[in-house]
Amino acid sequence: MSVPQALRRPHQRLREIAPGLVLSIGVAALAEVAARAEQVAFGAQWLEPLVLAILIGAMVRTFWKPQWFFLSGISFSAKTVLEIAIVLLGASVSAQTLLSVGPALLIGIVAVVALVVPGAYLLGRALGLPARMALLIACGNGICGNSAIAAVAPVIEADSDDVSASIAFTAVLGVAVVLLLPLLGHALTMGSVHYGILSGLTVYAVPQVLAAAAPMGHGAIQIGTLVKLVRVLMLGPITVVLSLVASRLPEEGRNPNVSGKVRKGLMPPLFILGFLAMIAARSAGVIPHLALAPMGQGASILTVIAMAALGLGVDARAVAAAGPRVIATVTLSLVLLVGLGLGLVALLAG
């Protein structure tokens, strides 16, 4: 008796993706080990597992090109696994978090993001970056660093080399912000609340916000984390907007294998709808409190696996060639972000 076709297809699909998925998981595991070693050696993780996964994956790809039977699983890891991670990320934000910052600060955060994203994009284009890479850097700077770049990439069908270069250079300069921001806060004699607002507006990842805000005390950590989570919430609206304009971007730097086709019409990507639905579920109290930490950890693990897959598809020479322009764009974008952040703090203080 033969197995029905409908039952055979999932099994066949699993066999297709298994080699590349296992390879991506292996690279992600190496990144986690490297991050732990970094913590032991230096007392801190200056490069997150997410960034290390890309770097290790790119190193593997430089010395060994995966055979054809790995490709399906690598593609699945870089796209589907990442989309699941983004949906889970929505559980980290709730409407209560949004309302707790107060209307003035809320409007200010939205305004800063709304100005930084197009401003950084224009800077990138002026420096000669392709439109999609400029958008990746703009969203990374304006919203939440690596996570935003990873989320936006499939929406705008960005090339994997552009994604890797954007994440790698943004991550390195993001560490510089963590180190230098406390010096700026001390130089300007900022109070803990105002410095917390500045750190939440300018630092990329939540753990980095904690590191940057800690020198100014517990109050700075609390307000910095709160502001940072509101910035994460902007990921939904920004990606919806980008999904509507993606088909109008130049063909340069477009990777059709990321999403399969250029979107037409008004339907945003399904994983962004899932991200927004998860925020709504968190806000309504549908998600049990005990499930939040495992969901957050799951999102982090899946993102590292996706970044490992991304690294396995990287052309190191293309990333190196883009380096100077990317560094200049990220640096100027950070200057713009810090300037707008200081402007918002001054308005709130007045």
Side-chain angles (χ1 to χ4, degrees), residues 261-321:
K261 60 180 180 179
V262 177
R263 289 180 183 85
K264 299 184 187 318
L266 300 178
M267 174 61 79
L270 289 178
F271 71 91
I272 293 302
L273 294 179
F275 173 82
L276 297 174
M278 197 66 75
I279 293 174
R282 168 75 185 276
S283 303
V286 175
I287 302 174
H289 184 74
L290 290 176
L292 295 178
M295 290 175 73
Q297 293 169 355
S300 298
I301 292 171
L302 292 177
T303 303
V304 174
I305 293 171
M307 293 303 100
L310 193 68
L312 288 168
V314 165
D315 181 346
R317 290 170 297 181
V319 172

Side-chain angles (χ1 to χ4, degrees), residues 101-130:
V101 302
L105 180 54
L106 174 60
I107 294 171
I109 296 169
V110 173
V112 168
V113 174
L115 290 172
V116 167
V117 171
Y121 170 76
L122 292 174
L123 283 171
R125 294 295 282 163
L127 290 168
L129 290 182

Side-chain angles (χ1 to χ4, degrees), residues 31-52 171 175 178 205 207-208 211 304:
E32 292 287 353
V33 171
R36 290 176 184 265
E38 191 182 8
Q39 180 75 42
V40 171
F42 304 107
Q45 289 185 4
W46 298 115
L47 291 179
E48 300 168 294
L50 184 151
V51 179
L52 290 170
V175 171
V178 174
Q208 291 180 333
V304 174

Side-chain angles (χ1 to χ4, degrees), residues 187-337:
L188 298 176
T189 63
M190 299 179 72
S192 61
V193 173
H194 289 153
Y195 177 78
I197 294 172
L198 181 64
S199 63
L201 282 171
T202 55
V203 178
Y204 295 149
V206 172
Q208 291 180 333
V209 171
L210 300 180
M216 293 294 191
H218 187 66
I221 292 176
Q222 286 184 318
I223 189 67
T225 302
L226 193 61
V227 171
K228 177 68 185 67
L229 289 175
V230 175
R231 281 175 69 200
V232 172
L233 187 61
M234 294 295 293
L235 183 61
I238 291 290
T239 48
V240 169
V241 171
L242 290 179
S243 71
L244 301 180
V245 303
S247 61
R248 303 175 189 174
L249 294 174
E251 284 296 305
E252 180 187 13
R254 176 175 173 259
N255 182 2
N257 294 323
V258 172
S259 61
K261 60 180 180 179
V262 177
R263 289 180 183 85
K264 299 184 187 318
L266 300 178
M267 174 61 79
L270 289 178
F271 71 91
I272 293 302
L273 294 179
F275 173 82
L276 297 174
M278 197 66 75
I279 293 174
R282 168 75 185 276
S283 303
V286 175
I287 302 174
H289 184 74
L290 290 176
L292 295 178
M295 290 175 73
Q297 293 169 355
S300 298
I301 292 171
L302 292 177
T303 303
V304 174
I305 293 171
M307 293 303 100
L310 193 68
L312 288 168
V314 165
D315 181 346
R317 290 170 297 181
V319 172
R325 289 177 296 162
V326 174
I327 291 173
T329 302
V330 174
T331 302
L332 291 175
S333 299
L334 284 170
V335 170
L336 173 63
L337 183 59

Side-chain angles (χ1 to χ4, degrees), residues 70-221:
F70 285 105
L71 300 183
S72 181
I74 291 174
S75 176
F76 174 85
S77 301
K79 180 180 183 293
T80 305
V81 170
L82 175 60
E83 291 176 351
I84 295 171
I86 293 167
V87 171
L88 292 176
L89 181 65
S92 65
V93 187
S94 68
Q96 290 81 359
T97 299
L98 186 64
L99 296 174
S100 65
V101 302
L105 180 54
L106 174 60
I107 294 171
I109 296 169
V110 173
V112 168
V113 174
L115 290 172
V116 167
V117 171
Y121 170 76
L122 292 174
L123 283 171
R125 294 295 282 163
L127 290 168
L129 290 182
R132 286 172 173 79
M133 179 180 271
L135 274 175
L136 292 174
I137 294 173
C139 292
N141 278 283
I143 306 172
C144 52
N146 303 328
S147 298
I149 293 173
V152 166
V155 174
I156 62 174
E157 301 176 349
D159 181 77
S160 59
D161 291 336
D162 290 349
V163 178
S164 299
S166 300
I167 288 179
F169 290 111
T170 297
V172 171
L173 291 172
V175 171
V177 173
V178 174
L179 298 175
L180 297 176
L181 200 64
L183 300 178
L184 178 62
H186 283 297
L188 298 176
T189 63
M190 299 179 72
S192 61
V193 173
H194 289 153
Y195 177 78
I197 294 172
L198 181 64
S199 63
L201 282 171
T202 55
V203 178
Y204 295 149
V206 172
Q208 291 180 333
V209 171
L210 300 180
M216 293 294 191
H218 187 66
I221 292 176

